[in-house]
Amino acid sequence: MSLSTPFSRRLYLRIWLAVVGGMAVLTLAVGWAWRMAEEQKAQTAQPLLPPLREMVLRDPSGAELLRGMSTRKPSPPGEAVEFYIEAEDGRVFTLQMSARPHRMDRGDRPLRPGGPGGPGGPGGPGKQSDAAFWTRPPFGFLWLLGIVGLAVAVGVYPIIRRLTLRLEALQRSVQKFGEGDLSVRVPEEGQDEVADLARQFNAAAARVEALVKSHKSLLANASHELRSPLTRIRMGLELMGGQQPSPTFREEILRNIAELDQLVDEILLASRLDAREADVGTVELIDLIGLAAEECARVDADLDASADTVEVRGVAKLLRRAIRNLLENARRYSSGDITVAVRRSQGHAEVRVYDRGPGVPDSQRERIFEPFYRLPGASERSGGVGLGLSLVRSIAARHNGTVYCEDREGGGACFVLRLPLSAASTTP
């Protein structure tokens, strides 16, 4: 399989050069350390070996010419050997022996000088040295480095190719995503850094796609909801025909204008809450009981508080808006009393809004928090455009909290806003 793209070729070349360079540095370091060790060994070696044995030198007639104890001078392998002989009269003689030949003939006999393969014969050291010059330094190191590079190329190619294939897939996905295909995702294979990068890209792509879809849905639904009151106002003005409006007509016009104002306000707030970097107010210490009591008094709802104060850190106007939306939702769908309970529960503050309405089916308890979603048959009810509960969820998320719906005992629904308690309110 070939490296098809310039990206893959460049990446493979960089990795290959890094591996070969590392092997070259390692080889040089090992050679340097070996040489230093040999030099240190040679420096610390004894200049002379201890006496070996007695040596006698005789002439051809058998007469003794020299007798004494011989001592060998240390020498590297392959070089001449020297012996020091100390005679009985104290004189020191030197006996030199040439280096032992390394090559042997087929009869395991040393090659003679001048013979085949000998120092002066055909194929002797001179010619052999010329034929094998590439095996001696520095050429030997270059050949070794070439062999190492070839071995590295063959050995790491499958691993690098697998890596480059995954990086190519990630590159293509990023390119398609940048061209506008927000549904593109990268296969998440393995547990290495590339897989982690793929998972992060998929998470970011999913988040961006969700935001874009949410904004498109918000724009489409907002345009539809804005068109309805504007159409009613325009038709009413056309029916007036320049006449003085009646009190009933004036009230209808004001109601439609208030509906438009509320819708625009909710759309702007939803957009600001979606943008995490947007400034939505000052975070301060808030007493949820006092906040809930003010909103309950506005709609004539009952308040049930199990403590004197329940404090959380948050933006007062947002939390007030969340409680107000829950109360307005309960009043819109409930035919009985409405109760708000504020209490502590496992390190969290809970605001529970109870109503006696028709309740929410299990299959719809998540969808009712989607923007502009209303229960089947609820679009004809007076008031509401389907953004109230969506804003409550966004406000709860801004405060690291949650909101959910459950059944109320005896009929109706209970909406629970759950927020982290402040450090001062964690102990009851």
Side-chain angles (χ1 to χ4, degrees), residues 47 85 171 178 192 198 209 211 237 262 289 312-313 348 370 425:
I85 304 173
Q171 183 192 36
D192 55 4
E209 184 180 15
L211 287 175
L237 293 175
Q262 179 185 1
I289 295 181
V312 298
R313 293 195 62 81
H348 286 77
E370 296 178 3
S425 299

Side-chain angles (χ1 to χ4, degrees), residues 201-394:
F201 170 78
N202 290 340
R207 174 62 177 165
V208 171
E209 184 180 15
L211 287 175
V212 171
K213 287 183 177 179
S214 174
H215 288 170
K216 288 182 178 180
S217 175
L218 182 66
L219 180 61
N221 286 283
S223 62
H224 173 74
E225 297 295 339
L226 286 169
R227 188 180 295 114
S228 298
L230 286 174
T231 302
R232 292 195 296 268
I233 293 174
R234 185 177 64 250
M235 290 179 60
L237 293 175
E238 291 177 354
L239 291 175
M240 284 176 53
Q243 300 179 2
Q244 186 71 20
S246 62
T248 304
F249 183 73
R250 288 174 56 87
E251 183 179 350
E252 180 66 18
I253 293 294
L254 292 176
R255 188 184 68 81
N256 283 293
I257 293 176
E259 183 180 342
L260 281 174
D261 183 65
Q262 179 185 1
L263 179 58
V264 171
D265 180 58
E266 291 183 344
I267 291 173
L268 291 176
L269 180 58
S271 299
R272 291 175 65 84
L273 290 174
D274 281 342
R276 301 293 297 181
E277 67 278 2
D279 183 16
V280 292
T282 304
V283 177
E284 56 187 347
L285 200 61
I286 301 169
D287 181 13
L288 283 181
I289 295 181
L291 204 64
E294 296 175 3
E295 294 301 315
C296 287
R298 193 177 63 85
V299 297
D300 195 20
D302 298 328
L303 177 63
D304 178 14
S306 60
D308 294 335
T309 59
V310 178
E311 294 181 334
V312 298
R313 293 195 62 81
V315 182
K317 64 178 181 179
L318 292 183
L319 294 179
R320 181 184 298 275
R321 184 62 173 269
I323 297 175
R324 179 176 300 179
N325 285 3
L326 291 177
L327 286 171
E328 290 180 352
N329 181 77
R331 186 181 61 177
R332 185 177 299 116
Y333 294 99
S334 176
S335 57
D337 60 329
I338 301 173
T339 303
V340 177
V342 183
R343 61 173 60 95
R344 298 189 183 98
S345 176
Q346 300 178 352
H348 286 77
E350 288 187 352
V351 178
R352 293 176 171 265
V353 180
Y354 299 94
D355 63 55
R356 289 297 183 186
V360 181
D362 293 342
S363 59
Q364 304 291 325
R365 289 181 182 174
E366 282 296 321
R367 296 206 62 189
I368 58 176
F369 293 100
E370 296 178 3
F372 294 102
Y373 181 81
R374 285 174 286 196
L375 291 174
S379 57
E380 290 82 11
R381 299 178 185 271
S382 60
V385 294
L387 273 177
L389 294 180
S390 173
L391 289 176
V392 175
R393 168 168 284 186
S394 298

